[in-house]
Amino acid sequence: MDLDFTMEEEQFRAEVRAFLKAKLPARIADKVRTGKRLTKKDHEEWHAILHERGWLASHWPPEYGGPGWTTAQAHIFDEEVSLAYAPRVVPFGVSMLGPVLIKFGSSAQKKHWLPRILDGSDWWCQGYSEPGAGSDLASLKMSAVRQGSHYLVNGQKTWTTLAQYADMIFCLVRTSTEGKKQAGISFLLIDMKSPGVEVRPIITLEGEHEVNEVFFTNVRVPVENLVGEENMGWTYAKYLLTYERTSEARVGAATAALSFLKQIAQTEQKGGRPLAEDPLFAARIARVEIDLENMKTTNLRVLAGSGSSAAPLELSAMLKIRGTEIRQELASLARIALGPYAQPFVSEALDEDYQGAPIGPDYAAGIAAHYFNERKLSIFAGSNEVQREIITKVSLEL
């Protein structure tokens, strides 16, 4: 495999940089750089800018609004937007539901929902995990009973990211209790404004409202909102998870975090010298950089080989494990590098209009919150322990 980018790919990189310089709002980039809170409006603004340029759904086929990029172009774009401190595109519609609808949705569903994902008409959230059915997802209990032209849905989802903003939720529901537990699951699209839907916040370790519980009580869902065939939802769920887990490698984000960490290590002092010159700290940076470079190569090799933006099941599991471990290590090193500045956690300092005196450098306010938020990486999208089981079962054909 040739690891060098071609002249055309480097020209594409220059085009992306020029676009980011012209179109990425400095206000939003500064919030990302300093770890400030991003609002719904911030996400929607960046979503609209990318959509206008035709670069929002980098992995969709051109006939549905994708740019038709190669694997290398998608990699370059991911790296450059991260290094420019652009917000991450909220993934639930573009990166998760979109590919499922393109592969398994009806013509009517594609015609209706895909343009609305692109133009931001609908903010989607993901209804997978339930109390008692997180890593063991197939044990889910939320029921959907067919009653004529609609399903009657009852149950609960949890850890539902940004459900407080969502217009729609895609859910795995149980439509049959016969046979294997994986066999009775279906994939439904549910309007969050439907009577009987209730969202309750969960405040996470860093004090933020990012995830929620969502309760469904006698919610009526039109039959036409069933994706694919009834009781075949497990197949669609696994397909979606390959995209989710592959995207969680987040090579671009890790590359940007490593660059940021090196800047901190050059600025912060230990014994009168830059922290970067401390042998033990330098060794930890070198270790994580080696891991990241290995993952970059693997990510490109796997995606180029698969011909899509999602790796096969066992390889997406591997990328998820390494990607989340690397990002957790980078967050940990940033917190160590800042020493006492990373300890004070002033929630108000994460607001855009905060007028108080900063504690340490301007990027210090969000370091602790970011560190605590990143602790979840190794358990969401299927815990890393579950991913190792998947790798073992597939590799040994168990």
Side-chain angles (χ1 to χ4, degrees), residues 80-352:
E80 292 300 325
V81 294
S82 298
L83 288 169
Y85 299 111
R88 184 189 189 192
V89 172
V90 177
F92 307 108
V94 174
S95 299
M96 297 184 191
L97 179 62
V100 171
L101 290 178
I102 289 169
K103 186 171 181 64
F104 300 107
S106 66
S107 297
Q109 288 171 339
K110 294 175 189 176
K111 184 177 180 180
H112 180 74
W113 295 113
L114 294 179
R116 294 175 64 87
I117 291 174
L118 292 177
D119 69 16
S121 296
D122 300 315
W123 182 300
W124 286 87
C125 62
Q126 179 184 31
Y128 269 30
S129 294
E130 297 180 6
S135 294
D136 183 17
L137 187 58
S139 295
L140 64 90
K141 292 183 169 56
M142 191 166 105
S143 66
V145 179
R146 176 79 181 261
Q147 293 186 345
S149 62
H150 67 272
Y151 288 96
L152 196 64
V153 176
N154 283 281
Q156 177 189 353
K157 296 296 178 182
T158 194
W159 308 122
T160 313
T161 303
L162 301 179
Q164 71 269 32
Y165 298 148
D167 305 295
M168 297 290 299
I169 182 171
F170 54 86
C171 281
L172 296 180
V173 295
R174 184 156 299 286
T175 42
S176 173
T177 56
E178 297 180 1
K180 293 175 59 177
K181 57 186 179 182
Q182 290 87 351
I185 292 172
S186 297
F187 195 107
L188 276 187
L189 312 178
I190 302 176
D191 189 336
M192 291 289 282
K193 297 182 291 297
S194 303
V197 177
E198 180 185 3
V199 179
R200 299 179 188 172
I202 298 173
I203 304 303
T204 48
L205 192 60
E206 77 276 23
E208 297 297 310
H209 176 194
E210 182 182 15
V211 293
N212 302 270
E213 297 174 290
V214 185
F215 295 85
F216 301 81
T217 305
N218 294 325
V219 176
R220 293 166 64 93
V221 179
V223 169
E224 55 264 33
N225 283 17
L226 172 72
V227 175
E229 299 177 40
E230 192 173 279
N231 298 327
M232 289 296 291
W234 188 246
T235 298
Y236 317 143
K238 288 192 297 182
Y239 182 77
L240 183 148
L241 284 171
T242 62
Y243 279 86
E244 182 179 12
R245 289 167 181 165
T246 302
S247 70
E248 285 310 323
R250 297 202 65 190
V251 172
T255 302
L258 176 63
S259 174
F260 185 53
L261 174 63
K262 288 181 175 179
Q263 293 174 36
I264 297 175
Q266 288 292 346
T267 304
E268 299 302 317
Q269 300 280 309
K270 181 179 180 182
R273 301 184 64 82
L275 180 60
E277 297 180 13
D278 176 76
L280 295 178
F281 196 80
R284 287 189 67 173
I285 291 181
R287 179 70 263 170
V288 75
E289 185 166 12
I290 291 168
D291 290 342
L292 176 56
E293 288 302 314
N294 286 338
M295 188 178 72
K296 279 184 187 179
T297 306
T298 302
N299 188 58
L300 275 171
R301 175 175 54 81
V302 167
L303 295 184
S306 69
S308 92
S309 58
L313 187 62
E314 72 280 16
L315 295 176
S316 67
M318 182 182 67
L319 290 170
K320 193 267 178 179
I321 292 171
R322 295 304 293 141
T324 54
E325 288 177 343
I326 288 170
R327 285 161 58 205
Q328 285 185 333
E329 174 68 356
L330 288 166
S332 178
L333 288 173
R335 189 160 177 255
I336 292 171
L338 275 170
Y341 294 142
Q343 188 171 1
F345 177 39
V346 181
S347 180
E348 295 78 7
L350 303 183
D351 292 332
E352 185 176 16

